[in-house]
Each structure stands twice: as C-alpha cells, then as structure tokens.
Amino acid sequence: MSFNFNSEQLAAISKAVDWFKNGEQQYFFLSGYAGTGKTTIAKTIATKCCPDGGVIFCAFTGKAASRLRDKGCSGARTIHSLIYDCKGEDAKGNPIFVDKEDLNLKANLIVVDEASMVSQKIMEDILQYGIPVLALGDIGQLGPVLGDPFFTRLNMSILLEKIERQDEGSGVLEFATRVRKGEVLRDDVKIGDVTIESGFPSDDVIRDHCGDDAIMLCFFNDDRMHLNNRARTLLGFSGTLPQVGEKILCRRNQPSCGLMNGEIGTVLSEPYGSRISLRVGNRNIIAEWDSSTFGGKSKWPGVFHFGYAATIHASQGSEWPKVLIYDDITDSYAKCMYTALTRATTSARIYISKRATNFRSEAIANV
C-alpha cells in the first residue's frame, strides 16, 4: 500500500534517512503532534534505512506496542521486554529489572514509539547497546510517571505539525491545538464534534460512553472509581467483582496470552480459578486472573480494574472513537487535557468538575 506523503512528511523522511547514513548522533527524535502520521513515516524510514531487515519496534507500554503491531510493525514489543530481564521484586512488590547483557537480536535500528513517556534513565539504557534509535513522540503529551523525560522540545530532530488523522474542521483537532498553545477550555461551548459543559455528566451521556467504542477519562483515581461505579449501576451491575458482559481494564502485561497493560476486554464467562475469559477487540483470550488483586495495585499479571473509565495517564497509547473527559485536572493542565483529547478519533465531550473550577478560581485569586 502506497501513501501520498505531504511535503513536511517527505522532509522528515529525507532528514531521518540522511541521519541514519551519515549522522554522528545515535538517536533521531521525530516529534509530531497527534495525527501527523509518525508511525507511517517511521515504517517508511525503516524500510529505506534497513531494506534487508533488522528493525526492532518497541514502545513504553504494552498497549502502545500492540497498536504498533496492528499498524504493521511486526514483532513490536515493550521497551522493558527488549532490554531488561526481570529478577524478582523488591520489598514494595515492584519488579526488579536488570539490563540484558546482549539483545540476542540482529538489530540495525531500534524504533521507539510514544517516546514522550521514556525517561532519561531508560533511554540511556537503550543507547548503551550502540544501536541507532529512531524515536517517535509528541511533545504535547504527558511525560514519564517516574523520572525526567529524555525527549523534549530541546532535542527534537524535526517537528511534524500538519494533522492528517482527522478532518481539518475537526473540533477535537481545534481544541487540542488550543490547549497545547496554553488555552484553558471554558464551558457552554460546542464546535463540531466537541461539547464542553460544567458539572457531572448525565446518566444518558454516561450510558452512551460505556460501549467498546468509548471511554471516560479523568485525572484522579477517586473520580475514575466514581465514574466506573455510576456506569455499572446504570448498566444493572452490582458487587465488587466484574460480571459477564462487563468491561475490565488490564493493568499489567500478560504476554503469554497477548493481553497488554491498558487494553480493555469484555468478560465472556465467570472467572474460574486463576483464569478469566475475555473478548479483546476481535480476539477471545484466556487471561490470568486473581480476584484478590482486582482494583488494586499489584505489580504482577492478574490485576484488572473496571474498564468504563480510566485515568488520563493510563490512557496513553490508546485511542477510541468517542471520549468523555471529566475535567478534574489540577496539575499539568495543558499536557493532561491535550493527552485526553487526542485519545479521541471522532468526538469528545468535556465536563468541567467543581473541583477543577474551584482550583482554577483559587489559582487566579492568588496571582
């Protein structure tokens, strides 16, 4: 399949290929806003640079790696599975990762997607293998949860700004651009496929965002749990564990069955022992299950949350046609709202919470 690249994309391809052939720096940071075609461009760059193969695609999250595979990047994996071995866990239950002595792969180029999530420490660990790295990232999105970001506006090799994923008149595109440029969105606004209101979403709106084509996003975990509980009540579910037909969100990679952190599945049957049957996209899988960790913070496979609502941080690397954003953001507004908006491929409904309104009023009063 051939693509008609725009002039900006062609310039990026040319510059990246020249870097690979002649560049002294080990990495090339291809930065671009959501929908600028970074992955498609990267595949073309990889083919031109390594026509005989030897390209490894990876991403920070399992969900992002899964999306890479869906886009034709065969063998894409998480960064951690590529460069680290897990040697047990520490006293707090966190996995202990150690660098692999050798990647044991024929690698001429490593392509790192969602590079905005990569910390300085992890990038330094990647670079130690001496393999050229093509990094793809969006400087408008949230950075790593732990550590300082390696990739910033200061070390961009090139910036893509022309959006190709959505129509030029897209409200999602317009508001994402406004937010990225510093605007704080106000209520009682509707442009195209984006609506902004104050308060908590109505029951009808919540029901409309409970399907496989939708997600509800927020900043705080307590609001995530409230949205999930409200959705379950409206759908007729009860109890503390998921029932058949419910959406649940995987919080730890399960590579043995192809289930990745951030993916959402629908429960097909009651859990049995340490296994649960799920429909994930067009796949039916048997995943690891542990009812004692449901809704918790376990570092190992088997942990799930209800999947009607998720935090903005947890949504990185994912997309849905319809996104409901409960704006309870009290920190890093531009990056959080931009990240949330750009999860939507078709429409977004934003509800500004009382918590956010009060926080911003106090902030203005204290200026």
Side-chain angles (χ1 to χ4, degrees), residues 1-254:
M1 182 178 180
S2 61
F3 293 89
N4 295 318
F5 294 110
N6 62 42
S7 58
E8 188 179 66
Q9 293 170 328
L10 289 172
I13 293 169
S14 176
K15 188 173 181 179
V17 171
D18 182 66
W19 155 79
F20 185 80
K21 293 179 177 178
N22 308 304
E24 296 181 0
Q25 186 168 263
Q26 190 180 341
Y27 65 88
F28 184 96
F29 180 24
L30 174 60
S31 180
Y33 300 124
T36 52
K38 295 185 293 295
T39 305
T40 301
I41 295 169
K43 289 194 295 181
T44 299
I45 293 169
T47 300
K48 288 179 176 291
C49 293
C50 305
D52 298 323
V55 179
I56 299 174
F57 289 89
C58 62
F60 184 79
T61 66
K63 176 62 175 177
S66 176
R67 283 186 55 217
L68 281 175
R69 293 192 296 273
D70 291 342
K71 293 180 179 181
C73 303
S74 178
R77 67 198 71 190
T78 63
I79 294 172
H80 282 70
S81 68
L82 174 64
I83 66 171
Y84 298 126
D85 286 321
C86 185
K87 299 294 185 180
E89 60 182 9
D90 63 19
K92 295 182 178 180
N94 297 305
I96 299 173
F97 292 106
V98 297
D99 300 347
K100 291 181 178 179
E101 292 185 9
D102 193 315
L103 298 186
N104 296 317
L105 294 165
K106 177 190 174 184
N108 300 316
L109 175 67
I110 296 176
V111 179
V112 177
D113 195 20
E114 299 287 348
S116 63
M117 301 175 69
V118 176
S119 68
Q120 292 183 12
K121 170 65 169 61
I122 290 177
M123 189 59 190
E124 288 167 2
D125 290 344
I126 296 173
L127 293 174
Q128 70 180 318
Y129 296 100
I131 302 167
V133 176
L134 171 62
L136 319 175
D138 183 345
I139 55 174
Q141 290 190 17
L142 288 165
V145 175
L146 298 175
D148 295 324
F150 182 91
F151 295 103
T152 68
R153 185 178 295 275
L154 298 177
N155 61 359
M156 291 187 302
S157 303
I158 196 166
L159 174 64
L160 301 174
E161 298 184 87
K162 182 171 175 53
I163 311 297
E164 296 289 349
R165 188 174 68 196
Q166 294 171 328
D167 295 336
E168 288 291 343
S170 165
V172 172
L173 168 60
E174 177 170 339
F175 282 115
T177 302
R178 286 189 191 182
V179 167
R180 177 169 53 77
K181 292 181 176 180
E183 181 177 334
V184 176
L185 301 182
R186 309 296 179 185
D187 61 353
D188 297 324
V189 176
K190 178 177 174 59
I191 296 180
D193 40 29
V194 176
T195 301
I196 306 175
E197 303 176 42
S198 287
F200 195 75
S202 69
D203 289 352
D204 287 342
V205 171
I206 290 177
R207 283 195 194 92
D208 190 47
H209 287 81
C210 287
D212 292 340
D213 64 341
I215 191 71
M216 296 183 284
L217 299 178
C218 57
F219 184 77
F220 285 101
N221 269 310
D222 60 346
D223 286 324
R224 172 185 63 82
M225 290 186 285
H226 182 45
L227 286 164
N228 273 320
N229 290 338
R230 188 59 190 156
R232 297 188 72 227
T233 298
L234 293 173
L235 295 174
F237 296 113
S238 60
T240 59
L241 295 176
Q243 300 172 35
V244 175
E246 290 215 72
K247 290 167 59 176
I248 59 175
L249 171 70
C250 174
R251 296 303 292 131
R252 297 295 162 200
N253 293 334
Q254 296 193 30

Side-chain angles (χ1 to χ4, degrees), residues 32-35 67 114 138 140-142 163 165-166 172-173 175-177 179-180 217 312 315-320 323 325 334-348:
Y33 300 124
R67 283 186 55 217
E114 299 287 348
D138 183 345
Q141 290 190 17
L142 288 165
I163 311 297
R165 188 174 68 196
Q166 294 171 328
V172 172
L173 168 60
F175 282 115
T177 302
V179 167
R180 177 169 53 77
L217 299 178
I312 297 169
S315 74
Q316 291 187 90
S318 301
E319 293 177 349
W320 294 268
V323 174
I325 303 168
K335 286 186 177 292
C336 284
M337 182 57 75
Y338 176 82
T339 299
L341 275 166
T342 53
R343 300 313 90 204
T345 59
T346 302
S347 66

